Amino acid sequence: MPDNVSKTQTKEPHDLREQLGPVTQEFWDNLEKETASLWQEMNKDLEEVKQKVQPYLDEFQKWHEEVELYRQKVAPLGEEFREGARQKVQELQDKLSLLAQELRDRARAHVETLRQQLAPYSDDLRQRLTARLEALKEGGGSLAEYHAKASEQLKALGEKAKPALEDLRQEAMKLKDTAY
């Protein structure tokens, strides 16, 4: 019986394969037909979508090209603007530098003029102060008297220097106004 069982067991899978062979082949044939049909439908749908979307893509490409053309046109203008701005800033710096130098030179000249105008008063004041100090040292006067007289002389010096200082202020204002 074992031989009989063995024959049956080997025969059954073989028979089953023979019976399933045409069914399996039919399944694969149907699957191939269905997938081919599905692929055709998908390709058809994709082609339709492509035809609908293509004008938009073409329009976008044209717009992109126009943007690039404008960018190329604007780039030199931007560089020209930057260069012009640099030149204007440099010109302004040069003008301001000249005006500042002129103001400095004028101020020095006015200070020197003022110094020369005040020199006699300064020398006179120095001599008087020295004399007063000597007098104080010798005990001839009080410190309060010396202080009062020195204040009077300083006020007198201030009054005499006032016109020269006013001229200096006016010159500085003129230079300031021409700078703007």
Side-chain angles (χ1 to χ4, degrees), residues 131-147 149:
R132 299 277 185 232
L133 283 174
E134 288 299 320
L136 280 176
K137 285 180 184 177
E138 293 173 6
S142 73
L143 188 58
E145 288 176 21
Y146 173 73
H147 186 273
K149 287 181 181 180

Side-chain angles (χ1 to χ4, degrees), residues 35-48:
T35 56
S37 172
L38 186 60
W39 276 107
Q40 286 176 348
E41 286 179 32
M42 281 180 34
N43 285 334
K44 181 182 171 188
D45 290 345
L46 284 174
E47 191 59 38
E48 286 177 17

Side-chain angles (χ1 to χ4, degrees), residues 102-127:
E102 184 180 335
L103 176 63
R104 185 183 64 235
D105 293 345
R106 281 188 174 179
R108 284 181 182 163
H110 283 293
V111 166
E112 186 58 35
T113 301
L114 182 62
R115 190 177 291 144
Q116 289 173 359
Q117 289 173 346
L118 295 178
Y121 303 113
S122 175
D123 290 340
D124 182 47
L125 181 61
R126 190 175 302 120
Q127 289 172 359

